[in-house]
Amino acid sequence: MKAFYRVEYHKLFKSLMTFYYSMVYWLDFVYSPPWFYGKDIAIDVLSAIVVLLIGVFSFRNFCLDKKNKRHFFLGAAFVMLGLSFIVKILTNVLTRDTSWLAKQFWVSILGNQIVRSYTLIPALGFFLFALLTLFGFYIIYALSSKDELSMNYVIIAYFILISTYFTRFTYFVVYLTAFIFLLAIARRYFLAYKKNKYKNTLFLCISFAIITISQFVFIFTSSNPAIYALAELIQFIGYLFLLYTFVMVLRNAKKEK
Amino acid sequence: MQRKRSRLDIVYDMLLTISNKGGKIKPTHLMYKANLSHTQMKQYLGELKEKQLVEEQEKDERKMLVLTDKGFALIQKFNQMREFEKTFGL
């Protein structure tokens, strides 16, 4: 009798896991080529530091002026981007170091056919990375206009969720969506610069334009892993330019009387 | 038409006025330079003193308002915030 229950539980667990894996089915995502291992993580760590720095600074501004909620939302957007980098770094590290062990574990429980070439960590990691990145860029896009925050944004947030869902089948959807958001952000900052002729706004526009190019390059990662390295480098230059803009903001504030 | 100054704008104007005068100012000068009524001046000055951003000193039997280090630091933070807002269009 006892043996019967054990077998039934095992079957139940197996069918639950089969269902779960069918839900989190992901294509193989092309990450870094082996010769770029380590370097990509260093680049992502530095990019994460830049965006988190701006996020924390924006939160500090919100503490100073609680009536201006835009500071809070901008802080949230940059922290989301920072978190997306952290998730990406962790996914890369865990996938590279434990993928074989994890795969063996799941193969022993579920069988080779179910597990195939994907495991839980890259699937969840990429999902979180995509969601945080897109929401982060979307909030920056929404704040780059002086329009009041309204319910329209809830609908767009829903579409972000949908597009993240479809990255399961075509990884580049996330980069394409990020590219469109970033193109719109860069355009808005360029228009703002044309209006106010403020140099730091131009620097901000250039930073986002460079990051936009990087997202475009990321789209073609699957054709050649070296393209991933190129896109990472372009993205890094973009975030370095963003850091330069941030330093200029602080420096100008010092000069101001 | 210019918008009404917020509480934060008034505090910033007061601190900046003192800073531009070398960190020391007579109360009446501050009131005129920062465009404040007597009631506003009393209310905001009390707040600034309470938060130790400004302190009162007596020199030759005259009251002087002196900006503290904390006050200077707050001006710096305000300037950074304004620059940030200008850059990001917030």
Side-chain angles (χ1 to χ4, degrees):
Chain A
M1 199 64 178
K2 266 181 188 175
F4 169 75
Y5 281 120
R6 199 165 57 232
V7 171
E8 287 302 300
Y9 279 127
H10 178 73
K11 271 186 179 172
L12 184 69
F13 179 68
K14 199 168 176 175
S15 57
L16 274 174
M17 289 313 287
T18 309
F19 173 74
Y20 174 76
Y21 269 97
S22 68
M23 290 300 286
V24 293
Y25 174 77
W26 294 82
L27 292 172
D28 271 345
F29 294 111
V30 185
Y31 279 108
S32 189
W35 54 266
F36 201 56
Y37 281 4
K39 293 172 194 95
D40 59 338
I41 290 174
I43 285 175
D44 287 341
V45 167
L46 290 172
S47 306
I49 290 170
V50 172
V51 286
L52 286 174
L53 204 69
I54 298 174
V56 169
F57 184 79
S58 201
F59 277 130
R60 193 204 74 173
N61 287 342
F62 174 68
C63 292
L64 219 58
D65 182 9
K66 289 212 166 115
K67 276 190 180 169
N68 194 347
K69 288 197 174 76
R70 284 171 173 261
H71 283 295
F72 175 80
F73 288 122
L74 193 72
F78 277 104
V79 168
M80 274 184 189
L81 289 178
L83 288 177
S84 81
F85 275 117
I86 292 168
V87 167
K88 190 181 167 191
I89 293 160
L90 287 176
T91 307
N92 277 349
V93 170
L94 293 173
T95 309
R96 280 171 207 166
D97 292 342
T98 61
S99 59
W100 185 83
L101 204 68
K103 206 187 278 179
Q104 292 311 306
F105 172 71
W106 290 115
V107 165
S108 66
I109 295 175
L110 304 167
N112 207 17
Q113 271 194 328
I114 297 166
V115 175
R116 274 181 276 180
S117 61
Y118 46 87
T119 58
L120 178 70
I121 294 168
L124 271 180
F126 196 83
F127 178 76
L128 271 177
F129 162 74
L131 207 64
L132 289 165
T133 305
L134 293 183
F135 267 111
F137 285 142
Y138 170 64
I139 296 170
I140 296 172
Y141 165 73
L143 291 171
S144 61
S145 149
K146 286 274 180 194
D147 295 345
E148 280 291 309
L149 300 170
S150 71
M151 276 301 284
N152 290 340
Y153 297 114
V154 178
I155 294 162
I156 294 171
Y158 169 74
F159 284 116
I160 290 176
L161 272 173
I162 294 286
S163 73
T164 311
Y165 175 81
F166 281 107
T167 56
R168 294 177 351 141
F169 311 109
T170 42
Y171 80 97
F172 66 81
V173 169
V174 63
Y175 294 119
L176 189 66
T177 317
F179 168 75
I180 290 164
F181 278 145
L182 281 159
L183 198 67
I185 293 168
R187 182 184 161 269
R188 276 191 174 173
Y189 283 128
F190 180 69
L191 292 177
Y193 166 70
K194 267 175 77 177
K195 207 173 165 186
N196 63 21
K197 295 280 169 204
Y198 192 56
K199 226 175 178 179
N200 283 348
T201 311
L202 178 67
F203 290 151
L204 196 64
C205 166
I206 294 169
S207 319
F208 280 112
I210 297 170
I211 301 169
T212 308
I213 295 167
S214 74
Q215 300 303 305
F216 182 73
V217 179
F218 269 124
I219 294 172
F220 305 101
T221 305
S222 60
S223 61
N224 185 352
I227 291 178
Y228 177 86
L230 177 71
E232 276 274 302
L233 282 174
I234 297 172
Q235 184 175 251
F236 184 52
I237 294 167
Y239 281 111
L240 278 185
F241 218 88
L242 196 64
L243 180 68
Y244 174 73
T245 310
F246 182 62
V247 171
M248 289 306 284
V249 166
L250 299 183
R251 198 188 267 184
N252 281 7
K254 238 179 193 177
K255 279 185 204 164
E256 207 172 282
K257 273 217 159 184
Chain B
M1 204 175 86
Q2 265 201 332
R3 69 179 177 91
K4 204 179 148 200
R5 283 189 298 174
S6 68
R7 199 187 138 273
L8 198 74
D9 290 331
I10 294 173
V11 168
Y12 179 65
D13 285 347
M14 286 174 81
L15 293 176
L16 202 63
T17 307
I18 307 173
S19 168
N20 288 344
K21 278 277 173 186
K24 268 183 190 178
I25 199 168
K26 285 180 192 168
T28 41
H29 283 192
L30 176 63
M31 195 172 92
Y32 294 129
K33 295 242 176 202
N35 283 322
L36 299 170
S37 68
H38 186 260
T39 330
Q40 276 179 319
M41 172 76 176
K42 232 173 121 179
Q43 182 200 333
Y44 284 105
L45 193 59
E47 235 180 272
L48 295 185
K49 279 195 229 164
E50 197 185 287
K51 288 180 179 162
Q52 294 169 335
L53 298 166
V54 164
E55 55 186 28
E56 226 174 58
Q57 285 181 1
E58 271 199 33
K59 204 180 173 188
D60 305 328
E61 291 179 13
R62 274 179 177 177
K63 263 189 192 173
M64 292 292 273
L65 296 170
V66 181
L67 199 62
T68 62
D69 288 343
K70 211 174 157 187
F72 275 114
L74 191 64
I75 292 176
Q76 190 60 31
K77 277 185 187 173
F78 276 139
N79 285 342
Q80 288 174 347
M81 189 177 78
R82 294 269 152 98
E83 279 289 321
F84 192 75
E85 281 176 353
K86 232 160 79 179
T87 304
F88 280 86
L90 296 176

